[in-house]
Amino acid sequence: MFNVLTIPAFDDNYIWLIKDSQSSRCIVVDPGDATPVLEVIASQNLTIEAIIITHHHNDHIGGVEKLMMDNPETKIFSKEPLFDNANLVDEGDTIAFFDGRLSFKVWQVAGHTLDHVAYFNEQMLFCGDTLFSAGCGRVFEGTHQQMFDALSRLALLNEETKVYCAHEYTQNNLIFALHVDPHNMELINYIKRVSKARQQGLATIPTTIKCEKLINPFLRCDQPSLLNSVQNILAKPLTSGESLFKALRLYKDQF
């Protein structure tokens, strides 16, 4: 069994720690800040077996060097050689941990950045800044087509897969989602659940692929009701899911 611990960082980042219940080992995902990770490591007497990185932005890698100082045997996995001893991963790779008891497949999900990858199995998806609850990452280095393709691919994963994204953006994303998809009852009910969770100081992540397919406009670009709504808002025709996605993402950038 494996437990995923939530480590808040900065204003709204999440660092994920995957803890092996059969040993004192763990994996850290996207450690932008070492300090809160080291606190958890010390309090639970853990050893970091590996650090896995989704992309190169500093709020995802800023704590790596400090963590490596205290754990020099730790392996680093990333798409690009961000650190001297990085193990490079690419599309279609499988990486294994804890004596082979946990493994993740690797997909390229360029869009937010060109080096962005996602790590997943049937239970867990670590997707960095590609897919958020009720939203998706900004397109900084890639193209809108790349981001659309990446999200479409993630939407094909097992619906019960838990989605561990890297930011608590859910409430802000929901404001935009409701604006463009106002008659979506699944979305309206989700807003109520999220509101209650945040009032109690609880994280809204992980979400699930199933939930996101019901409420996330960026995964619903095949829905005629959303297409019609966005066409009316923007007062221009949209002829495909790809064009709807690009229009949504550009509109969200200015929202």
Side-chain angles (χ1 to χ4, degrees):
M1 290 291 293
F2 312 101
N3 298 317
V4 182
L5 306 186
T6 308
I7 303 179
F10 309 120
D11 293 331
D12 51 33
N13 276 69
Y14 288 137
I15 300 166
W16 303 107
L17 186 148
I18 308 167
K19 181 181 174 183
D20 178 25
S21 62
Q22 296 184 28
S23 71
S24 62
R25 292 175 289 169
C26 68
I27 301 163
V28 180
V29 185
D30 282 355
D33 185 1
T35 300
V37 177
L38 290 171
E39 290 172 354
V40 173
I41 295 297
S43 68
Q44 302 198 24
N45 195 28
L46 299 173
T47 300
I48 303 175
E49 178 172 319
I51 295 170
I52 61 178
I53 296 168
T54 61
H55 65 293
H56 68 265
H57 284 165
N58 195 59
D59 63 328
H60 295 253
I61 68 170
V64 171
E65 290 185 351
K66 187 174 181 180
L67 291 177
M68 292 298 293
M69 289 174 60
D70 293 335
N71 303 272
E73 302 304 314
T74 297
K75 293 182 178 179
I76 302 174
F77 294 86
S78 60
K79 174 71 167 63
E80 298 294 334
L82 304 175
F83 301 93
D84 290 341
N85 57 340
N87 296 270
L88 302 187
V89 297
D90 209 341
E91 171 70 29
D93 285 350
T94 298
I95 53 177
F97 308 99
F98 309 142
D99 304 316
R101 287 180 286 108
L102 175 67
S103 63
F104 293 114
K105 294 180 181 178
V106 179
W107 275 352
Q108 292 188 44
V109 286
H112 181 67
T113 64
L114 291 176
D115 70 328
H116 209 307
V117 291
Y119 304 86
F120 71 96
N121 57 29
E122 286 292 307
Q123 292 79 42
M124 298 176 272
L125 165 67
F126 295 93
C127 55
D129 289 354
T130 297
L131 173 64
F132 298 127
S133 187
C136 72
R138 286 178 179 263
V139 178
F140 285 129
E141 297 175 5
T143 65
H144 288 89
Q145 183 67 55
Q146 285 177 313
M147 182 65 95
F148 176 76
D149 291 343
L151 292 171
S152 299
R153 196 179 194 193
L154 295 181
L156 297 176
L157 294 176
N158 185 317
E159 289 194 341
E160 301 309 314
T161 303
K162 291 184 178 180
V163 178
Y164 294 92
C165 60
H167 290 277
E168 183 59 71
Y169 288 166
T170 309
Q171 280 191 304
N172 284 338
N173 287 339
L174 286 170
I175 295 169
F176 177 76
L178 185 63
H179 175 66
V180 297
D181 200 7
H183 304 299
N184 183 341
M185 289 307 301
E186 294 285 352
L187 173 60
I188 291 167
N189 290 331
Y190 185 63
I191 289 171
K192 294 175 183 176
R193 296 198 300 272
V194 165
S195 235
K196 184 176 180 181
R198 294 307 290 159
Q199 286 171 5
Q200 296 173 350
L202 302 175
T204 65
I205 310 299
T207 177
T208 65
I209 293 294
K210 181 179 181 179
C211 174
E212 294 310 305
K213 288 167 70 173
L214 292 171
I215 63 94
N216 191 326
F218 296 101
L219 295 190
R220 290 172 50 79
C221 291
D222 60 342
Q223 297 298 310
S225 58
L226 180 62
L227 177 69
N228 291 335
S229 174
V230 176
Q231 285 184 137
N232 289 336
I233 290 169
L234 300 180
K236 68 176 185 180
L238 300 167
T239 57
S240 66
E242 292 92 334
S243 65
L244 173 55
F245 172 80
K246 183 175 182 179
L248 274 172
R249 185 58 264 182
L250 290 172
Y251 186 36
K252 176 71 161 58
D253 291 346
Q254 306 299 323
F255 188 73

